[in-house]
Amino acid sequence: MTRAMIPAARPLIGQEERDAVDRVLASGMVAQGPEVAAFEQEFSAQLAGGRECVAVNSGTSGQHLGLLAAGLKPGDEVIVPSFTFAATANAVAVCGAVPVFVDVDPDTFCIDPAAIEAAITERTVGIQPVHLYGHPAPMDAIVDIAQRHGLWVAEDAAQAHGATWDGAQVGTFGTFGMFSLYPTKNMTSGEGGMVSCDGPEIARQMRLLRNQGMEKQYANEIAGFNNRMTDIHAAIGRVQLTKLPAWTARRQELAAHFDAHLEGVTTPVVREQATHVYHQYTIRIEGASAAERDAFATALREEHQVGCGVYYPTPVHRLPSYGLELDLPVTEMLAREVLSLPVHPSVSDEDRDRIVEAVNTVAKAGA
């Protein structure tokens, strides 16, 4: 009998979320309103160290508006990793600024501080680290570089809800930190984003920018956007926030089991200073070509019904939207070797054991 596919990712939406949506619909207050305000406060207390938080309609909107609020101007340069999702760089580019792509650490997949230092020019205004897969970037080193060169830091924490570095929550180091609330992230609002701000002025700019440049109706102070979150989405996010600690613990429990039992592949490294929240559990097929890695993934899916994903097969600098030829050897290597396994909280113990058996079988067959 064919076994059901274990999905690579799965949103977890329960009756509590449905009830919350029904409550908002019954209230008649469906646009940005009291649910959004409550969600911002609760997110701040739980995940952003008490920083003022601003909810928006997507993580990308959060990064875009955060950069504008930080003062990014056309022609400015912002240092970003190329091994990430394109939105990291796109948020810079749509401001008319220039994303400067640098290499990453081969163990944690996060931006390499030495590469940041080497890329700084007189046009550099900021650094945008990504806490990739849920492992925090080395924020002590990054903040030190920023302070020495007079730069701001914009954290892309889209995948890292609850991750910490040296005991401090991600999203609390930079001028702002952006969290995505897309359906397959560690928690969701259906769609949306949350931005933690390091002071009242950037928070106010964020609120103006998300709402057509106004705090009071028809009193538009600046040119802005319609990037608001609805109360419907906020109600979902509030429920998800209460479930996040247990879900994170399950992700970490699954990751520990994989660490202990996977064979023939390189498992994720976790730095001593880091709390990893495993948005993805990403292994490496060391020495593999992209075709060999893809064959490994195909075998997992077709022979063992284990879903998996490649995040990300093409470095951002080589995408048609940028089309750059750069010497980023670690990024190129990782794009060939990485493969992410199911680690979402709905993975059962039986699923977990199937994943281990499948990976070890495919790895052994390819040895």
Side-chain angles (χ1 to χ4, degrees), residues 270-334:
V270 181
R271 295 287 185 232
E272 182 181 353
Q273 305 98 312
T275 300
H276 198 323
V277 295
Y278 295 100
H279 170 62
Q280 301 289 349
Y281 185 90
T282 302
I283 61 174
R284 288 173 53 197
I285 320 299
E286 286 205 52
S289 65
E292 290 167 337
R293 183 270 318 283
D294 291 346
F296 195 110
T298 298
L300 287 180
R301 296 188 194 105
E302 296 184 359
E303 299 173 21
H304 300 274
Q305 291 72 55
V306 170
C308 51
V310 177
Y311 311 105
Y312 300 92
T314 305
V316 180
H317 73 272
R318 286 203 287 107
L319 291 171
S321 45
Y322 296 99
L324 300 174
E325 293 294 330
L326 301 172
D327 183 23
L328 304 179
V330 176
T331 293
E332 298 286 357
M333 176 185 70
L334 294 177

Side-chain angles (χ1 to χ4, degrees), residues 14-35:
Q15 189 59 49
E16 299 93 336
E17 287 87 346
R18 297 183 187 96
D19 290 343
V21 171
D22 288 344
R23 172 174 52 78
V24 172
L25 292 176
S27 76
M29 296 280 294
V30 297
Q32 178 179 287
E35 291 289 331

